[in-house]
Amino acid sequence: MTRRIRDVNGPNDNPTVDTITVNTSMVIGSSTLTEAEVNQLDQANNATNIGAAATVTGTLATSITRIGSYFRIDFTLTAVSISVTDAGVSGSYGSTKLFDFAAGAVSFLGCRQDYTAFAEGAALTGAAGDASFEIGLGTTAISAAADGTLGNGVNENVGQAVAVTLSGGTGTGTAVDGAKTTALDGTATAIDLNLNWSGTAATIDANSTITVTGTITVVGVMLGDD
């Protein structure tokens, strides 16, 4: 990079202009990287230290940005499938893992959920298209029916429950969370992010699936490992 520097010696002096050359590139082997490319590589390396996206049925695109200990994860879901278990009068439930964090404590600073489409499996409501449920993001996979609620606990402790009632099989939902007051200790057992779902007994008829389309953003800070 070449910069021109103007040096004025006094009010009556003619200014002189010096040209200096500053090397802002890095050479690796026979390739030369610009400063911006070096920064991108550094950020990509840092991102891999956050964790990794899980394998899902459907399409899950994940983008990780990390600056120092702070991170942002952007998920784009396209027809990501959740297997639903019908528990009769207790309602129904299902979960799919989205992300495995690296071992370490994590403090979550915010979450945005924007669900733009759902698709019921054939047996879910007997083709009524009227499923009523809550969906949210938690560090524990929901494991029991609760008649359409996620319970305000570990099933939704990253992204709060979004209440949705489909009409003709269509519906949307959004929610925004701020910083959580309690950091989570993932030093012994690494933390997971799970997309949790809880359906009502009145609208869910059988074991089936529901697919989810939309975007989720999670922001936080890694606090280190033991």
Side-chain angles (χ1 to χ4, degrees):
M1 178 179 69
T2 300
R3 292 183 179 174
R4 296 172 65 84
I5 300 177
R6 183 172 179 172
D7 179 19
V8 180
N9 298 315
N12 299 318
D13 293 335
N14 292 324
T16 60
V17 178
D18 297 325
T19 300
I20 62 173
T21 300
V22 180
N23 182 10
T24 59
S25 65
M26 176 181 289
V27 178
I28 300 178
S30 59
S31 300
T32 300
L33 302 180
T34 66
E35 185 176 18
E37 289 170 334
V38 171
N39 290 338
Q40 287 177 349
L41 285 174
D42 183 55
Q43 187 177 90
N45 179 61
N46 282 336
T48 62
N49 296 328
I50 294 293
T55 300
V56 302
T57 300
T59 302
L60 177 65
T62 306
S63 173
I64 306 171
T65 302
R66 179 176 178 181
I67 301 175
S69 296
Y70 293 88
F71 65 85
R72 170 179 172 143
I73 308 173
D74 292 296
F75 300 100
T76 300
L77 297 78
T78 304
V80 170
S81 182
I82 298 175
S83 294
V84 175
T85 299
D86 180 24
V89 296
S90 297
S92 55
Y93 64 97
S95 181
T96 189
K97 185 190 296 185
L98 298 183
F99 197 80
D100 292 297
F101 277 97
V106 181
S107 180
F108 291 101
L109 303 180
C111 177
R112 180 192 58 81
Q113 302 171 81
D114 183 12
Y115 303 110
T116 56
F118 300 91
E120 297 180 0
L124 191 68
T125 62
D130 62 352
S132 181
F133 55 88
E134 286 189 349
I135 187 169
L137 202 64
T139 55
T140 297
I142 189 171
S143 58
D147 198 15
T149 178
L150 289 178
N152 300 315
V154 292
N155 296 329
E156 52 169 304
N157 59 343
V158 177
Q160 65 179 286
V162 180
V164 179
T165 297
L166 301 185
S167 176
T170 64
T172 61
T174 62
V176 176
D177 289 69
K180 305 303 179 181
T181 57
T182 302
L184 302 179
D185 186 356
T187 56
T189 302
I191 293 168
D192 297 328
L193 286 181
N194 303 282
L195 185 63
N196 289 321
W197 187 94
S198 177
T200 64
T203 61
I204 306 305
D205 295 334
N207 294 346
S208 189
T209 61
I210 188 165
T211 65
V212 184
T213 296
T215 58
I216 301 171
T217 295
V218 176
V219 177
V221 57
M222 302 295 289
L223 302 178
D225 194 11
D226 293 338

